[in-house]
Amino acid sequence: MNILHVLSQFEVTGAEIYAVTVASAQRRHGHTVTIVSDKLHIPFDGIFISRPIGKRSYLQRIQNIKFLIRLIRNNNINIIHGHSRAASWVCNLAALFTGIPFVSTIHGRQHLHLSSKNWSVYGKNIITVSESLKDHLIQELHLAPQHITTIPNGFDTQRWINTTSASAVGDIFGVTNQIPILLFVGRYSGPKGDVIRYLISHAYPELVKRIPCSLQIIGGVAIPPDIMQRVQEMQQRFGTTSVVVRGYQSNIIPYLRAATVVIGSGRVVMESLLAEKPTIAFGESGYEGLVDPTNYEKMRFTNFGDTGIQKPINTELVVNDLVNILTQQQSITDAKMLQKRVEDTCDINLIERKIDAVYQSAIAETKSPSTIPVLMYHRVVPEAPGQSQHGIWITVPLFAQHLGSLKRRGYSSITFEQYHLFLSGKFTLPPKPIILTFDDGYEDNYTCAFPLLKKHGFSAVIFLVTDAVHRTNFWDGDEPQVPLMNNEQIDEMSRAGFEFGSHTVTHPDLAHCSPEKMRNELVVSKQMVEQLIGKEIVSVAYPYGSVNDTIRAAAAEAGYKFGIATNSGPAKFTEDFFEIRRAQIFPWTGSYGFWKKTQPWYERYKQRKATMTG
């Protein structure tokens, strides 16, 4: 995929670190990535173009839009990702003019004014870094909840965890005697600058009366004069190492590891926890306190004091907390537990996959037909089986009629694997796509369906039950027991361009399985099919169409990209890739019924009819 990130940056912020971290991970996974911003302070090995995105005059915005349109068209950009209001303003319009998908990430609370309430520049594929920001957008900017996904900051967690060496306190902070070090990390501008002013002028003078310590501050490039004046006043009162401003540091790992306690918000908190340091959450929305395993999730709601509703600060509480932290050693168990929490929830590989899912939704919304017919077959047989109870078969002549009808009406078959490539910018959908699916993997799919599909130029998706011992439809006592495909037949069809997906190992109703059994059915069947055909599979069909939120989450965790249901799921194909609705074909489905089931409006009609009759 060819990805364009756009920022409006004059100094280092969490948004820049977020964007560069994500963009670098995307490059490692084979994508081409370009960043456009006023400035870029973090090293980036992709393409960087300097552009005054942060200049908000209407003339400059028009010039920026024209520039982005040319860049998108000349470089075949697949998706554009904005990281601020100023960036999203121009990205949104550039995306509209070029017809490419647009995603925006919101890193902080938005100013409330008439234009922000009446016109959203953020599009319909919005990422927030915290749940409090999502609430803010819904309640105060009246954005639709279904358009917003919360994905936290991402980190190269192993880089932090594996960097164990740290300079001695005196070496890196210049403090001769071994006094405790309070390290604040955050930019000097905006509300974070006010936190620095508070720490210097209010908290530190009270704290140093009770315990000797040094307040060290790492921030942006430009230091406001009033902050330096406050620092000088403290140095005159308490010594030159009492309060020290160090400016921007490209590598803060050694500083974090050498500090006694770290103060910050947002990304800084999680970086400090990865470094196993006692950490105070104190940011734009106020003072949260010491992060521990019991309050981690609560503090994560506001991105550790960065995105909540602003609240007053109690200096006595802040000073008492700092005294307690500086005089009591943090539990090693707590430090390890917090480090593991961040690793499990915020590793950049996990975050990049979640962002990619938003990209795919944006591409589907912009480029894909909202509805793609998905047909559900089981068996194709020479003649009607006498003892079948459920009508899970059609005859060869009827199947030939179906394929002929599709061909005459201009349909082209695609697979879920091809649709996934489309979402990654690597496949172009035909004008009238349709997906033909077969459940269970019966031998007649090879002996009867395969020749007809090849003759008419169609492919199909076959969902295999992978149990290695029972190679018939053992789960279905009401039907004649017939053989399933063998490995050689599956291999031949796979090499011919047919997709194989999972239908679990033993065909259970997953909703009635234990969590361990359900996970095993999904994971092991995926591994078995992949080993058989020699490549990754992307789809699973839930046996009996049984699916709920737990099953959907387990399928996603197992690595599937699509979960296929039967009579459940939204009418629009693009709305939920883990509950894709299918139209089942029966032996009694006549010509008119088949025509109806292949129409884009059929699933909406079916849902409306069910609602009226229900």
Side-chain angles (χ1 to χ4, degrees):
M1 194 182 300
N2 200 338
I3 304 166
L4 173 62
H5 291 272
V6 183
L7 302 92
S8 55
Q9 296 290 116
F10 300 103
E11 60 177 320
V12 182
T13 67
E16 178 181 331
I17 301 172
Y18 170 103
V20 172
T21 304
V22 170
S24 298
Q26 290 168 338
R27 278 184 50 77
R28 288 195 297 271
H29 289 101
H31 301 294
T32 300
V33 185
T34 302
I35 295 179
V36 173
S37 178
D38 302 79
K39 294 182 179 180
L40 200 65
H41 307 84
I42 309 299
F44 175 59
D45 61 355
I47 304 166
F48 168 63
I49 301 172
S50 178
R51 184 76 188 174
I53 303 296
K55 293 186 178 180
R56 302 189 181 195
S57 72
Y58 283 104
L59 177 60
Q60 185 62 61
R61 283 178 169 177
I62 290 170
Q63 291 174 345
N64 287 336
I65 292 167
K66 289 180 177 178
F67 170 80
L68 291 177
I69 290 172
R70 289 194 301 271
L71 182 65
I72 289 165
R73 288 174 174 167
N74 293 340
N75 293 273
N76 296 316
I77 300 295
N78 298 119
I79 194 160
I80 186 168
H81 190 158
H83 293 273
S84 68
R85 179 170 174 80
S88 294
W89 205 99
V90 295
C91 287
N92 195 352
L93 290 173
L96 286 174
F97 281 114
T98 56
I100 72 162
F102 165 51
V103 171
S104 58
T105 292
I106 297 179
H107 301 267
R109 296 181 72 85
Q110 303 300 294
H111 296 296
L112 301 177
H113 44 71
L114 191 60
S115 64
S116 66
K117 291 181 179 180
N118 291 336
W119 180 54
S120 171
V121 301
Y122 302 115
K124 293 185 177 180
N125 296 278
I126 303 168
I127 298 170
T128 60
V129 298
S130 70
E131 288 292 338
S132 62
L133 279 181
K134 181 176 181 178
D135 286 354
H136 161 63
L137 296 181
I138 295 169
Q139 296 169 10
E140 299 184 82
L141 293 183
H142 311 298
L143 300 185
Q146 65 268 27
H147 296 157
I148 307 169
T149 304
T150 297
I151 302 176
N153 289 289
F155 301 86
D156 184 354
T157 56
Q158 293 310 305
R159 171 175 171 258
W160 288 87
I161 293 171
N162 294 336
T163 306
T164 55
S165 60
S167 302
V169 172
D171 292 342
I172 197 164
F173 287 115
V175 179
T176 53
N177 54 335
Q178 294 298 307
I179 61 173
I181 299 294
L182 278 68
L183 175 63
F184 176 86
V185 182
R187 69 179 187 272
Y188 303 115
S189 61
K192 285 191 173 65
D194 293 336
V195 175
I196 294 174
R197 293 178 178 91
Y198 169 82
L199 289 172
I200 295 172
S201 299
H202 297 279
Y204 182 76
E206 295 301 316
L207 176 63
V208 79
K209 291 176 185 178
R210 298 173 59 180
I211 184 168
C213 60
S214 174
L215 173 61
Q216 304 270 335
I217 301 167
I218 293 175
V221 178
I223 305 173
D226 73 298
I227 288 181
M228 284 308 304
Q229 183 179 348
R230 293 166 191 256
V231 170
Q232 291 165 4
E233 290 172 359
M234 290 301 105
Q235 290 178 346
Q236 289 172 1
R237 289 178 61 184
F238 302 110
T240 56
T241 59
S242 58
V243 179
V244 180
V245 174
R246 298 195 166 273
Y248 171 67
Q249 302 294 324
S250 60
N251 180 15
I252 66 168
I253 294 179
Y255 290 93
L256 292 177
R257 292 198 177 279
T260 311
V261 61
V262 177
I263 305 172
S265 58
R267 296 186 64 89
V268 171
V269 168
M270 290 180 273
E271 289 170 342
S272 178
L273 296 178
L274 285 170
E276 298 181 71
K277 281 294 169 179
T279 307
I280 292 279
F282 191 0
E284 298 184 16
S285 56
Y287 180 78
E288 299 284 345
L290 177 68
V291 184
D292 64 40
T294 65
N295 62 28
Y296 175 84
E297 290 301 326
K298 179 183 177 183
M299 290 192 182
R300 201 157 76 107
F301 183 83
T302 65
N303 203 19
F304 303 97
D306 222 11
T307 62
I309 299 172
Q310 202 162 35
K311 54 189 178 183
I313 302 168
N314 183 328
T315 299
E316 183 178 359
L317 173 64
V318 174
V319 172
N320 285 339
D321 282 354
L322 287 170
V323 169
N324 290 335
I325 295 165
L326 292 175
T327 55
Q328 300 175 18
Q329 190 172 9
Q330 183 189 37
S331 160
I332 294 175
T333 302
D334 282 358
K336 287 289 186 185
M337 189 179 299
L338 288 166
Q339 182 189 65
K340 188 70 165 56
R341 289 273 189 92
V342 178
E343 184 182 8
D344 288 346
T345 57
C346 298
D347 183 80
I348 188 56
N349 294 306
L350 171 65
I351 299 304
E352 195 264 340
R353 287 197 297 273
K354 290 183 176 182
I355 292 173
D356 186 64
V358 177
Y359 284 6
Q360 291 183 12
S361 295
I363 291 170
E365 176 188 309
T366 308
K367 297 286 189 179
S368 170
S370 62
T371 300
I372 297 175
V374 184
L375 304 186
M376 177 183 177
Y377 293 93
H378 286 79
R379 301 186 61 201
V380 178
V381 296
E383 57 185 26
Q387 299 177 345
S388 177
Q389 301 295 313
H390 302 298
I392 59 169
W393 54 272
I394 64 169
T395 62
V396 168
L398 184 58
F399 189 52
Q401 290 178 25
H402 292 173
L403 297 181
S405 171
L406 294 176
K407 190 143 191 173
R408 285 192 304 273
R409 290 184 283 139
Y411 278 104
S412 299
S413 63
I414 64 168
T415 64
F416 290 108
E417 183 179 18
Q418 288 171 326
Y419 192 82
H420 180 60
L421 292 174
F422 157 74
L423 295 178
S424 303
K426 299 175 182 177
F427 180 78
T428 301
L429 291 179
K432 291 183 69 175
I434 192 167
I435 302 177
L436 309 178
T437 70
F438 290 80
D439 282 9
D440 305 329
Y442 293 98
E443 186 179 57
D444 54 59
N445 293 174
Y446 172 82
T447 57
C448 297
F450 185 32
L452 284 173
L453 288 161
K454 286 195 297 182
K455 177 181 176 181
H456 288 83
F458 287 103
S459 61
V461 183
I462 300 176
F463 298 108
L464 299 175
V465 176
T466 61
D467 189 290
V469 177
H470 306 96
R471 295 309 297 157
T472 65
N473 50 324
F474 61 91
W475 61 88
D476 196 349
D478 294 334
E479 291 292 318
Q481 294 297 292
V482 293
L484 305 180
M485 280 190 285
N486 61 41
N487 293 354
E488 290 75 20
Q489 293 165 338
I490 293 168
D491 180 65
E492 182 182 345
M493 292 185 74
S494 177
R495 286 187 284 107
F498 283 63
E499 177 185 341
F500 286 91
S502 164
H503 203 38
T504 71
V505 179
T506 64
H507 203 287
D509 183 335
L510 293 174
H512 294 96
C513 293
S514 68
E516 183 179 357
K517 166 74 171 173
M518 177 181 64
R519 182 181 181 279
N520 185 74
E521 289 281 345
L522 293 168
V523 171
V524 173
S525 62
K526 186 174 191 292
Q527 293 171 344
M528 292 176 72
V529 177
E530 288 175 343
Q531 185 176 9
L532 181 61
I533 65 175
K535 63 179 180 179
E536 182 182 11
I537 67 168
V538 299
S539 57
V540 57
Y542 310 117
Y544 310 107
S546 178
V547 58
N548 55 35
D549 288 344
T550 302
I551 295 169
R552 289 150 45 93
E557 185 180 349
Y560 297 102
K561 310 299 182 186
F562 304 95
I564 319 304
T566 52
N567 293 319
S568 67
K572 288 187 176 181
F573 180 90
T574 56
E575 282 188 6
D576 189 345
F577 290 145
F578 280 91
E579 194 169 351
I580 292 176
R581 180 181 284 265
R582 292 185 286 179
Q584 187 165 355
I585 306 301
F586 298 100
W588 51 82
T589 303
S591 299
Y592 173 70
F594 182 76
W595 174 85
K596 188 168 63 174
K597 290 185 177 188
T598 59
Q599 297 305 306
W601 46 262
Y602 174 71
E603 293 300 343
R604 295 194 302 275
Y605 155 80
K606 189 176 176 182
Q607 282 189 335
R608 191 178 300 113
K609 184 178 179 181
T611 302
M612 292 174 63
T613 56

